[in-house]
Amino acid sequence: MKRVFFLVLWVLSALSMAGTINVNSPARGTPTAPTLVGTSKSINFALTNMVNEAKVSITVRRQSDNSLFFESIDAVSVTPSTNNHDGSGTFNLTFAQGTPEVVFRVEVRARDINNETTYNVDQDLFVKPDVTKPKILSFNPITNSFVKGIVPIRVRISETNLKEWRVQVNSQDIPNNTGSTVNAQGEFVVNWDTTGIQLDGAQSISIRVRDLADNEETTNISLTLDRIAPTVTIRAPVNNTTYSAGTTITITVDIRDASNAAVNFSGVDVVARTTAGAFITRASRVSFQPVDGTTNRWVGRIRWVQGQLPSTFKIHVTAVDKAGNVPPTPQTVTVKIGS
């Protein structure tokens, strides 16, 4: 009877000495389909049937020729819990920029500090470093743009292992703002409907691109929502001014908008037309300068050309701001040429 009792104790003791170590993350991968990892990746592992403190070592070898790439002996200490003799730990595996992007085999080994527990070797972890961040090659609208209405946010990227792109406005998601594919030109487009924003003014677009190794690149675009048309005021000449033949006509126009940056000189068009509306000539610009924070002053002139100007004609002024807003009607003054 005693012999049976001690045999049972010996069997139970032997069983208690068999421990396991298992890697929970990253995914194991295979030699032909390895798990992509970035410059830094946590290896999370769990130990069971622990008796004493265990030391965990990490070895990384090239899969192609089994050559040693990296080794850390007794890198992590794991202490068993008092309830179930299990434990867990983490090792931060890092790959420097320039690491060859080839398949590596990672071995994770554990040893009992008193050699009372023997652990299996969990070595079937195949990874491939991807240490190159995604690249955002171009985007539109650009920084300091003025926009309104439906704004197409067009982004071109370079990334062969794309996991996800995401676009946010003012740190908030908008409809259809994520995806994992691009077109043949490496582009994706998100349409931003600005009608839900109550007030014009500064807005921020964030573009984030992440690859399968969790490398990511982010670009922020600061722009202005502007849905109000500029106000045009013709300062000179005043209506029904009469000029002598041969006089150069100086024209002064103030354009007021949300800010003096909202309109540039190319958006201002000043032309002479007949009273019936036919085009005669376009005024040449002399200067375009800010007056204050919201107003620019356009100054131009129409030079006298014999027979070009009729005795009575109109100066028409239109302006379009950078967001595409246009006043509902052109501003006009009537000008006369005396004998």
Side-chain angles (χ1 to χ4, degrees):
M1 189 67 179
K2 276 186 179 181
R3 185 176 296 175
V4 173
F5 176 75
F6 283 114
L7 180 61
V8 171
L9 286 179
W10 180 84
V11 170
L12 291 175
S13 176
L15 289 174
S16 68
M17 294 170 63
T20 62
I21 177 169
N22 290 297
V23 174
N24 298 321
S25 66
R28 293 178 178 274
T30 66
T32 56
T35 298
L36 291 174
V37 295
T39 55
S40 180
K41 187 67 177 180
S42 293
I43 299 178
N44 299 307
F45 46 83
L47 284 73
T48 61
N49 295 333
M50 300 182 68
V51 177
N52 305 298
E53 177 186 350
K55 299 289 188 179
V56 177
S57 300
I58 309 293
T59 303
V60 181
R61 298 180 181 275
R62 289 175 186 257
Q63 174 62 17
S64 59
D65 58 8
N66 203 40
S67 60
L68 181 66
F69 179 78
F70 169 84
E71 187 169 42
S72 182
I73 303 298
D74 294 346
V76 182
S77 296
V78 180
T79 303
S81 64
T82 56
N83 295 329
N84 55 16
H85 304 289
D86 294 341
S88 62
T90 298
F91 179 82
N92 195 40
L93 182 64
T94 59
F95 292 99
Q97 293 290 332
T99 298
E101 296 185 354
V102 298
V103 180
F104 291 92
R105 178 167 56 91
V106 181
E107 299 177 1
V108 184
R109 306 185 307 276
R111 69 172 184 85
D112 187 306
I113 60 172
N114 292 329
N115 296 320
E116 293 184 36
T117 301
T118 301
Y119 295 95
N120 65 304
V121 177
D122 193 343
Q123 60 183 17
D124 297 326
L125 183 65
F126 296 93
V127 301
K128 182 179 180 180
D130 178 356
V131 295
T132 304
K133 280 186 174 185
K135 293 182 176 63
I136 298 176
L137 302 177
S138 63
F139 51 85
N140 194 68
I142 61 175
T143 297
N144 297 326
S145 296
F146 290 77
V147 298
K148 69 170 186 175
I150 304 296
V151 181
I153 303 171
R154 186 179 301 275
V155 184
R156 186 164 69 94
I157 67 172
S158 174
E159 176 53 57
T160 56
N161 300 313
L162 179 62
K163 181 178 182 180
E164 180 193 57
W165 51 258
R166 178 180 294 269
V167 174
Q168 292 186 310
V169 175
N170 300 326
S171 301
Q172 301 294 322
D173 287 332
I174 59 176
N176 304 311
N177 70 318
T178 63
S180 58
T181 59
V182 294
N183 64 17
Q185 290 72 44
E187 293 181 337
F188 63 86
V189 179
V190 175
N191 289 320
W192 168 33
D193 186 353
T194 65
T195 56
I197 299 179
Q198 293 184 348
L199 300 177
D200 287 3
Q203 313 292 323
S204 176
I205 297 174
S206 174
I207 302 166
R208 187 186 71 192
V209 181
R210 180 177 293 168
D211 65 19
L212 291 171
D214 288 331
N215 301 304
E216 69 175 53
E217 182 69 11
T218 300
T219 292
N220 294 304
I221 308 168
S222 298
L223 43 72
T224 301
L225 177 60
D226 179 7
R227 293 170 289 194
I228 299 175
T231 301
V232 175
T233 303
I234 302 174
R235 298 294 183 189
V238 296
N239 197 40
N240 292 318
T241 297
T242 299
Y243 291 92
S244 300
T247 302
T248 294
I249 301 172
T250 299
I251 304 165
T252 302
V253 180
D254 283 352
I255 305 99
R256 189 172 186 272
D257 208 337
S259 76
N260 60 27
V263 181
N264 58 31
F265 63 83
S266 63
V268 183
D269 194 30
V270 181
V271 299
R273 295 184 180 274
T274 66
T275 54
F279 177 83
I280 302 172
T281 188
R282 177 166 281 105
S284 60
R285 175 177 51 85
V286 175
S287 64
F288 185 81
Q289 299 292 333
V291 176
D292 54 36
T294 60
T295 304
N296 290 297
R297 178 161 292 167
W298 186 99
V299 178
R301 62 193 175 192
I302 298 175
R303 293 183 181 276
W304 171 262
V305 176
Q306 182 68 37
Q308 182 186 51
L309 298 175
S311 58
T312 301
F313 64 93
K314 291 182 178 292
I315 295 175
H316 282 232
V317 181
T318 59
V320 55
D321 65 20
K322 293 177 181 177
N325 300 299
V326 181
T329 57
Q331 296 299 299
T332 64
V333 293
T334 300
V335 177
K336 299 177 181 179
I337 303 296
S339 54

